[in-house]
Amino acid sequence: CGQDSNSVVFQLQADRFAGAEWSDPVNLGPVVNSSANDVNAALSPDEHAMYFVSNRPGSLGLTDIWASHRQCLECPWEAPQNLGAPINSTAQDASPTLSADGRLLFFFSGRPGGGGLDIYVSQRIGTSAAGDVWGPPINLAPDVNTAGAEQGVHYSREGGTPTAGLYFNRIGPSGTGDIFHVFIDNDGMPLGPAVLLPELSDPLTLDQKVTVRNDGLELFLSRLRAGTVGDFDIWRFRRQTPQDPWSDPARQGAPLNTGDLDSQPSLSRDGRTLIFASNRAGSVGGNDLWMTTRTPSGQ
């Protein structure tokens, strides 16, 4: 009986956005976006902070992680602040993603001591007037990191399951960028080796960045594959329960995708808001952050 009940609940959740249309994406504007590249955003659990990647003036390295805050969900985003050391280094630091409780920050970095680009985790050790204070980053070690590049990390705890996990990309068996997954403990450390996810990986092309709704029933992925209209496009996968395999991918049409680059999707945990990077018409920099929203059916 319990299994049947859960299936009904997940089916209802899967249908919450049936027929829901994404609004026309809005550029996050000159307070957030700059004349440089501003990409790869992630919202905090309460959506009052947005972490993203930029190479704007004031960065310590090739790319840095920055954070913008707002006082309420309807309030404007405030001027971004560089997270500084120890999160940022003189190398490339990118792809921030936070745990569901906001206590852990994951990202990848090319700093010394790793194997190219590696995934790290930092624990929040306090707060200040400028925002959260983060402890020294810890390399996730050989269960996740290799001598190659691990990128595009995304934290997910799906459908109320007790164990969280990380999605990320690395070069797979076919020689292209594929999607891998690893389960992690409460401190963000791997519980075993990362595994390839064939249903999310196209052996002929690059699979870049995953984002998953918190019920585990919907996933968006930026990738280059047959059927892509622009540079990178955003594709959607669905399933009935978190235990089911993902559906075949469906390329999203307008207004999410254009003939330009549309990539690095980041979905709010309730599935209502999607932030992504694009160089479409109306961008003020090389790549800008854009936001679109939708309303669940019946609301």
Side-chain angles (χ1 to χ4, degrees):
C1 293
Q3 289 181 342
D4 291 340
S5 175
N6 286 340
S7 297
V8 171
V9 171
F10 288 129
Q11 177 64 53
L12 290 173
Q13 290 177 330
D15 289 341
R16 288 177 61 224
F17 293 102
E21 299 291 338
W22 290 107
S23 65
D24 288 336
V26 175
N27 187 292
L28 292 187
V31 173
V32 171
N33 290 314
S34 68
S35 59
N37 286 311
D38 302 292
V39 297
N40 218 333
L43 291 168
S44 63
D46 64 5
E47 299 183 36
H48 285 191
M50 178 175 59
Y51 294 76
F52 67 96
V53 177
S54 183
N55 62 347
R56 64 182 62 195
S59 296
L60 305 179
L62 299 176
T63 59
D64 278 8
I65 299 173
W66 296 69
S68 177
H69 295 80
R70 59 183 177 181
Q71 299 304 310
C72 66
L73 295 182
E74 292 75 30
C75 295
W77 291 107
E78 300 169 359
Q81 302 294 318
N82 189 300
L83 292 194
I87 299 301
N88 291 316
S89 68
T90 57
Q92 182 180 7
D93 302 290
S95 194
T97 182
L98 288 95
S99 59
D101 59 6
R103 187 176 58 87
L104 302 175
L105 174 66
F106 300 88
F107 62 100
F108 76 78
S109 178
R111 65 189 62 203
L117 295 175
D118 280 1
I119 296 174
Y120 291 77
V121 62
S122 176
Q123 294 199 23
R124 187 182 62 202
I125 57 176
T127 58
S128 70
D132 292 329
V133 178
W134 299 98
I138 299 172
N139 189 295
L140 293 196
D143 279 340
V144 169
N145 295 316
T146 65
E150 282 72 37
Q151 305 175 79
V153 60
H154 172 72
Y155 170 96
S156 179
R157 185 189 294 273
E158 300 167 20
T161 55
T163 306
L166 299 175
Y167 293 87
F168 62 94
N169 77 58
R170 74 153 75 116
I171 299 300
S174 65
T176 63
D178 288 337
I179 302 300
F180 288 74
H181 183 270
V182 64
F183 287 107
I184 55 174
D185 64 20
N186 290 335
D187 292 322
M189 300 308 293
L191 292 172
V195 297
L196 173 70
L197 298 181
E199 69 272 25
L200 299 181
S201 302
D202 186 333
L204 301 179
T205 190
L206 171 60
D207 301 292
Q208 183 194 47
K209 175 69 186 297
V210 162
T211 185
V212 184
R213 203 168 75 202
N214 66 352
D215 59 11
L217 306 183
E218 184 179 39
L219 179 150
F220 291 89
L221 168 63
S222 54
R223 67 190 336 180
L224 291 169
R225 63 167 292 165
T228 295
V229 172
D231 189 331
F232 279 95
D233 276 354
I234 297 172
W235 298 70
R236 183 191 190 201
F237 297 73
R238 302 176 69 190
R239 59 186 177 185
Q240 297 299 310
T241 77
Q243 291 73 42
D244 289 336
W246 290 106
S247 68
D248 291 335
R251 179 190 172 274
Q252 300 302 280
L256 289 189
N257 289 315
T258 65
D260 300 298
L261 178 145
D262 302 291
S263 71
Q264 298 171 339
S266 180
L267 193 65
S268 63
R269 285 175 167 80
D270 62 6
R272 292 172 178 257
T273 301
L274 186 72
I275 300 175
F276 62 97
S278 181
N279 61 355
R280 64 181 61 196
S283 296
V284 300
N287 292 304
D288 279 5
L289 294 173
W290 293 73
M291 183 178 73
T292 179
T293 59
R294 62 182 176 180
T295 301
S297 303
Q299 295 189 19

